[in-house]
Amino acid sequence: MVCVTDLLPDARTETRARIEQAALDLFTRRGFEQVTTDEIADAAGISRRTFFRYVATKADAVWGDFGSHVDRLDRLLSATRPDQPVLASICAAYVEVNDYAVADLPMLRQRMTLVLGEPALQAHSQVRYADVDRVVAEHVARRAGLTPGALLPRLVATSTRAAATTAFEVWLADGTTSLADDLHAAFDQLALGFPGLRTRAA
Amino acid sequence: MVCVTDLLPDARTETRARIEQAALDLFTRRGFEQVTTDEIADAAGISRRTFFRYVATKADAVWGDFGSHVDRLDRLLSATRPDQPVLASICAAYVEVNDYAVADLPMLRQRMTLVLGEPALQAHSQVRYADVDRVVAEHVARRAGLTPGALLPRLVATSTRAAATTAFEVWLADGTTSLADDLHAAFDQLALGFPGLRTRAA
DNA sequence: GACGTTAGTGACACCCAGTGCCAGCGGCAA
DNA sequence: TTGCCGCTGGCACTGGGTGTCACTAACGTC
């Protein structure tokens, strides 16, 4: 029994972190499909039933508290000044929420390598990203005086997320660039209608 | 060898169609999660085991022969003239592969309503669309003299697919517009860097 | 200090998606 | 007829996810 009132970091928060770390390590080492939820639970020191009280699905185990990231993105977008171009404000918000400390970068790489590389996790990410799209579309709709369901807000939301995802892929594949630079490069191409396509041959 | 003569409707093709229709109807009526594979199999007049010999997963049941659509997109892109702008060629290809006969539009609406609306199908679509992205990225890479893994080809592939998906959503929600028009509208915004964002307030 | 309450946990049974295996059955060629 | 072959269905099994119940530790109240 863990009992005792050490609980400084809060027992639930600690368990949550153990689950995430165990899932990240096992998935990285053996692949998502080859790991059972029993094994993750064992590695995290809990029962399988308790595992599913902390995370809704096996795929959710690698996402940490993604909801708070979305909330932070929402606040950042709401706080942007009206004289800033819409795309620039979205880019800045994406850069800000992905501004991890150097010590946290290895874990971010591990997570994103899995999310973008494992088909099952890639599929599941769509559900999580839908929240991001909703937040961005609402921001664009406010700024442009449109409804969030109109073509333009939706399109900006999905294509900026495509830009962010692509920047992540390049960042992971390269290994030498900074994520912020990759994000800016992708958003610049998007905002200017892909000028790189018009310079025939590099 | 194709062997076997003619087989006018071909038993396997017919079974495939029955599975797709049964899945489409049941999912539309009761929701993806509420329908079991047993029920789809029953409705299609086959056993559950046979059902899984025709489709890899429950989610795949609504996709028909999506692979041939991707092949067709690939051929259309390869056949574009070099003097046409890259984005225009991609838009034209998307319009062409989605140019259904009027009689087939209800089924297309049904399929896309499910794919874009049901979370599980939306997640699964990511896996199918990865093939589309690969084909488009290769085309862009050829046209721009880059590798398919570079930022620009990937970005163009993902954001044009975002445009196509958004156009589909608007087409489904509206009900009066033509899909081709919605696709062109989305691609125009994308190609010009979202001019709609710069006209402050409508 | 005994008591009821409450939150968290583990064990168990269950449903359902997906798979491996094998037996049966029809068509087809020698 | 015989043997091969492709398709099918039945069966058992694995693994993700859930509902239920009993147990226990922490906490407030008298």
Side-chain angles (χ1 to χ4, degrees):
Chain A
M1 56 197 85
V2 181
C3 56
V4 194
T5 57
D6 45 318
L7 306 186
L8 294 149
D10 183 350
R12 278 191 72 82
T13 305
E14 206 176 70
T15 300
R16 215 174 287 274
R18 278 209 315 279
I19 290 174
E20 187 178 356
Q21 197 56 59
L24 243 27
D25 285 345
L26 287 170
F27 291 165
T28 299
R29 205 175 323 149
R30 317 215 318 260
F32 180 81
E33 307 282 3
Q34 276 62 49
V35 177
T36 68
T37 54
D38 268 305
E39 295 173 308
I40 308 174
D42 278 352
I46 55 176
S47 73
R48 201 173 86 95
R49 190 62 188 88
T50 298
F51 171 82
F52 279 112
R53 287 201 184 92
Y54 279 84
V55 296
T57 70
K58 180 183 170 186
D60 274 308
V62 303
W63 282 88
D65 57 342
F66 189 72
S68 72
H69 281 249
V70 177
D71 291 343
R72 191 153 150 253
L73 186 73
D74 197 11
R75 286 195 303 275
L76 285 167
L77 289 173
S78 300
T80 53
R81 281 168 298 105
D83 58 332
Q84 192 179 25
V86 177
L87 280 183
S89 68
I90 298 172
C91 179
Y94 264 109
V95 169
E96 177 78 15
V97 293
N98 288 295
D99 183 26
Y100 289 81
V102 177
D104 295 331
L105 284 183
M107 188 160 161
L108 179 64
R109 292 196 89 94
Q110 195 178 16
R111 190 202 327 274
M112 293 312 292
T113 301
L114 285 169
V115 167
L116 295 174
E118 288 277 355
L121 290 174
Q122 186 183 344
H124 182 73
S125 71
Q126 199 66 8
V127 178
R128 311 303 303 252
Y129 288 149
D131 293 334
V132 176
D133 286 357
R134 190 181 38 75
V135 163
V136 174
E138 283 169 3
H139 174 250
V140 174
R142 277 195 304 271
R143 286 288 307 269
L146 300 168
T147 60
L151 176 77
L152 192 58
R154 282 174 183 267
L155 177 59
V156 172
T158 52
S159 54
T160 51
R161 184 167 56 75
T165 302
T166 308
F168 257 108
E169 287 178 351
V170 169
W171 176 67
L172 287 177
D174 190 310
T176 69
T177 58
S178 106
L179 178 55
D181 288 347
D182 290 329
L183 281 167
H184 277 115
F187 271 81
D188 284 348
Q189 286 292 324
L190 193 64
L192 300 174
F194 310 105
L197 285 181
R198 286 184 276 276
T199 67
R200 295 289 291 116
Chain B
M1 65 196 81
V2 182
C3 56
V4 194
T5 53
D6 49 337
L7 301 184
L8 305 120
D10 186 351
R12 279 192 70 82
T13 304
E14 206 176 70
T15 301
R16 214 174 289 273
R18 278 208 316 279
I19 290 174
E20 188 178 354
Q21 197 55 57
L24 244 27
D25 285 345
L26 288 169
F27 292 164
T28 299
R29 205 174 324 148
R30 316 214 320 260
F32 179 81
E33 307 282 2
Q34 276 60 51
V35 177
T36 68
T37 54
D38 268 305
E39 295 173 307
I40 307 173
D42 278 353
I46 56 176
S47 73
R48 204 173 81 92
R49 191 63 189 88
T50 299
F51 172 81
F52 281 112
R53 287 201 182 93
Y54 279 84
V55 296
T57 69
K58 180 183 170 186
D60 274 307
V62 301
W63 282 88
D65 58 344
F66 189 71
S68 73
H69 281 249
V70 177
D71 290 344
R72 191 153 150 252
L73 186 73
D74 196 10
R75 286 195 303 275
L76 285 167
L77 289 173
S78 300
T80 53
R81 282 168 297 104
D83 58 330
Q84 192 179 26
V86 178
L87 282 183
S89 68
I90 298 172
C91 179
Y94 265 109
V95 169
E96 176 78 16
V97 293
N98 288 295
D99 183 26
Y100 288 81
V102 177
D104 295 332
L105 285 182
M107 187 160 163
L108 179 63
R109 291 196 91 94
Q110 197 178 15
R111 191 205 322 276
M112 294 312 292
T113 301
L114 286 169
V115 168
L116 296 173
E118 288 277 354
L121 290 174
Q122 187 183 344
H124 182 74
S125 72
Q126 198 66 8
V127 178
R128 312 300 306 250
Y129 287 150
D131 294 334
V132 176
D133 286 358
R134 190 180 40 73
V135 163
V136 175
E138 283 168 2
H139 174 250
V140 174
R142 276 194 304 271
R143 287 289 307 268
L146 300 168
T147 60
L151 176 78
L152 192 57
R154 282 174 183 268
L155 178 58
V156 172
T158 53
S159 53
T160 51
R161 184 166 56 75
T165 302
T166 308
F168 258 109
E169 287 177 351
V170 170
W171 176 67
L172 287 178
D174 190 308
T176 69
T177 58
S178 107
L179 178 54
D181 289 346
D182 290 328
L183 281 167
H184 278 115
F187 270 81
D188 284 349
Q189 286 292 325
L190 193 64
L192 300 174
F194 309 105
L197 286 180
R198 286 185 277 276
T199 67
R200 298 287 292 113

